[in-house]
Amino acid sequence: MAEMIEMPKLSDTMTEGTLVKWLKKESDSIESGDIVAEIETDKATMELEVFDSGTLLKLVVQEGETVPIGAAVAFIGEKGEKIDEAALKSASSVSSDSAPEKKEESVPEASTSPAPEPAVEKSIPAPASGQRIKASPLAKKIAADLHVSLAGITGSGPGGRIVKKDVLAAAESGGGGGSSWGVYPTAPVAAEGLSKLSNMRKTIAKRLVQSKQENPHFYVEVEVDAAEMIEMRGTLNKEFTESHGIKLSFNDFVMKAAANAVRKVPAVNSSFEGDSIRQHGGVHLAFGVALKDGLITPVIRDAQNKNLKAISQEANELIGKAKEGKLKPEEFTGGTITVSNLGGPFGVDRFSAIINPPQAAIIAVGNIVKKPVVNENDEIVVGQRMSLTLSADHRVIDGAVAALYLKAMKHLIENPALLLL
């Protein structure tokens, strides 16, 4: 009897999946363990593995279609075997009900928001006398884009022809009818339109709204002296790059400090569970990785027991998998505390992050900034400063606990040799 291949539950929050690509076609022979399709979940694009052998009899779901977990995506059986009509009808019904809606044609939009005409077709004021203006096609286009009138511009080209540099000079000086304080092109910044939310973006939207509505956030910030960390990273990278082929990032130090600081203040590594607070025994450290379609947080498990080199290597491996959409569910679920860094990668000095439920804390890491500071001798010197902002769930963490945790992190980062112990 033909067996149904179902849309599997590939993450803890997954309710539906989109079939991105079939890797097998109807009538292909399939062995148990074969990968037959790629599925986009709310977390990543993952592989659909089959656990039966036979012939792929029917593909029920087409590429691009979204169906709920448990719904049939295909049937497998003996070659030439007929599929039960009732099962096929039921599966096809679920597929059609879940198929993405066809986008409406953009004709109605055109009636209310007509597309801008090409710049070369924009009208250019003619001289009052009606005499034809001699200008190159490029000069005309630039004049139209910059809203500069060609009337009154003296051309420097052959026979008094207006060329590109004449138009730009007129625009810069405010001549030729242009604005004296600057002119701007009228082309749109991007093509206007709607984009259907991916499963990942849907989940991000749902969970972050839920987090802000249900978790009473409060924020604590501390500024850290990063000079010692910078020096130690440079020293270690000389050794590690030559001997191990790896390069430590500043975020590796911060993540190691975040994990070790939990030993001093374990209360931040907890979750709110209705009428209880769960204290986690291990630091399953999540960290943010920006993807094209959103954000994912891979997890380094038991990070408190791993040295700096191990954390760096594991983080790099997880980042690579995340970028390729190859993370397994166990590699991005079960985090107990999160580090989010918009400093080094994006140059953000400081920010506040939204808690990732059911966690109770997330650390936002800012850029390392050179700034004047007063040293212990009351001298103004150049300092290297980095901000750490802890977003905490006040149902679980009190202000004093949050402050103690950041104090512990600050001490470790400012004394990075402690991270090597």
Side-chain angles (χ1 to χ4, degrees):
M1 180 177 177
E3 296 290 335
M4 183 172 71
I5 302 175
E6 297 181 351
M7 174 64 71
K9 186 177 177 68
L10 296 172
S11 76
D12 56 340
T13 55
M14 178 181 173
T15 59
E16 60 183 12
T18 300
L19 202 146
V20 177
K21 182 179 181 181
W22 281 109
L23 303 178
K24 300 287 185 179
K25 60 182 184 296
E26 289 183 6
S27 76
D28 279 357
S29 295
I30 306 296
E31 297 292 333
S32 177
D34 281 355
I35 306 300
V36 297
E38 293 178 353
I39 304 293
E40 181 195 337
T41 73
D42 57 337
K43 299 287 189 180
T45 299
M46 307 181 72
E47 297 173 335
L48 175 60
E49 181 181 355
V50 295
F51 302 98
D52 295 296
S53 299
T55 298
L56 196 56
L57 302 174
K58 179 71 176 176
L59 304 182
V60 178
V61 177
Q62 302 305 309
E63 292 181 354
E65 289 186 4
T66 300
V67 296
I69 58 173
V73 297
F75 285 89
I76 188 173
E78 297 294 329
K79 187 174 183 178
E81 184 179 354
K82 298 295 183 182
I83 304 171
D84 181 79
E85 287 297 326
L88 184 58
K89 184 177 180 181
S90 175
S92 299
S93 174
V94 172
S95 175
S96 62
D97 290 344
S98 304
E101 297 181 2
K102 291 184 178 179
K103 294 183 179 178
E104 296 183 0
E105 297 295 330
S106 57
V107 174
E109 287 291 327
S111 63
T112 57
S113 302
E117 297 177 354
V120 292
E121 297 297 326
K122 293 178 183 176
S123 60
I124 301 172
S129 64
Q131 183 180 356
R132 180 176 175 272
I133 296 176
K134 293 166 60 177
S136 70
L138 179 58
K140 291 179 180 180
K141 180 182 184 304
I142 294 173
D145 286 343
L146 299 182
H147 285 269
V148 174
S149 173
L150 293 177
I153 297 180
T154 301
S156 61
R161 184 182 181 90
I162 298 172
V163 293
K164 172 184 173 182
K165 68 177 182 178
D166 302 325
V167 178
L168 295 178
E172 192 172 323
S173 64
S179 168
S180 61
W181 49 268
V183 291
Y184 296 90
T186 58
V189 293
E192 186 172 340
L194 293 174
S195 298
K196 190 175 185 296
L197 289 179
S198 66
N199 292 336
M200 175 180 283
R201 181 52 65 183
K202 284 180 185 176
T203 300
I204 289 172
K206 179 180 177 182
R207 286 175 61 82
L208 294 187
V209 167
Q210 179 186 15
S211 178
K212 288 293 283 186
Q213 288 178 338
E214 297 181 2
N215 297 355
H217 286 58
F218 76 97
Y219 310 94
V220 182
E221 183 181 317
V222 67
E223 190 173 84
V224 176
D225 183 351
E228 291 292 331
M229 178 178 67
I230 293 172
E231 184 177 350
M232 176 163 286
R233 174 178 176 263
T235 301
L236 292 177
N237 276 344
K238 287 180 182 179
E239 173 67 26
F240 283 4
T241 303
E242 294 176 2
S243 60
H244 303 289
I246 65 172
K247 188 175 183 179
L248 298 173
S249 69
F250 291 124
N251 205 46
D252 296 332
F253 283 84
V254 174
M255 289 193 293
K256 177 58 176 169
N260 282 16
V262 170
R263 293 184 181 277
K264 294 284 187 181
V265 191
V268 298
N269 196 45
S270 304
S271 299
F272 185 80
E273 295 186 3
D275 58 357
S276 304
I277 293 176
R278 179 175 297 280
Q279 174 66 64
H280 299 290
V283 182
H284 304 318
L285 185 67
F287 61 99
V289 176
L291 303 177
K292 179 183 178 182
D293 221 18
L295 177 78
I296 196 166
T297 51
V299 177
I300 299 173
R301 301 197 178 276
D302 293 309
Q304 79 282 359
N305 296 331
K306 294 176 179 176
N307 61 31
L308 190 59
K309 187 179 97 172
I311 285 178
S312 178
Q313 288 177 316
E314 190 166 342
N316 284 328
E317 290 173 6
L318 291 170
I319 290 170
K321 288 184 178 181
K323 297 289 187 183
E324 296 172 2
K326 301 298 184 182
L327 286 175
K328 298 176 182 178
E330 61 269 21
E331 293 175 320
F332 57 78
T333 57
T336 58
I337 191 169
T338 297
V339 169
S340 179
N341 191 334
L342 291 180
F346 303 102
V348 173
D349 289 349
R350 50 179 34 85
F351 70 104
S352 300
I354 299 177
I355 298 165
N356 185 17
Q359 300 169 29
I362 182 170
I363 305 107
V365 185
N367 198 23
I368 297 175
V369 179
K370 282 186 179 182
K371 60 193 302 186
V373 297
V374 180
N375 64 15
E376 62 276 8
N377 298 321
D378 290 336
E379 299 167 333
I380 298 177
V381 297
V382 176
Q384 300 271 13
R385 293 295 191 265
M386 178 177 68
S387 71
L388 300 176
T389 304
L390 179 71
S391 303
D393 183 345
H394 220 324
R395 298 173 300 176
V396 179
I397 301 171
D398 292 328
V401 173
L404 287 172
Y405 177 72
L406 280 186
K407 183 179 179 181
M409 274 196 72
K410 175 182 170 77
H411 180 68
L412 289 168
I413 292 172
E414 293 182 342
N415 298 276
L418 298 173
L419 300 175
L420 304 180
L421 300 177

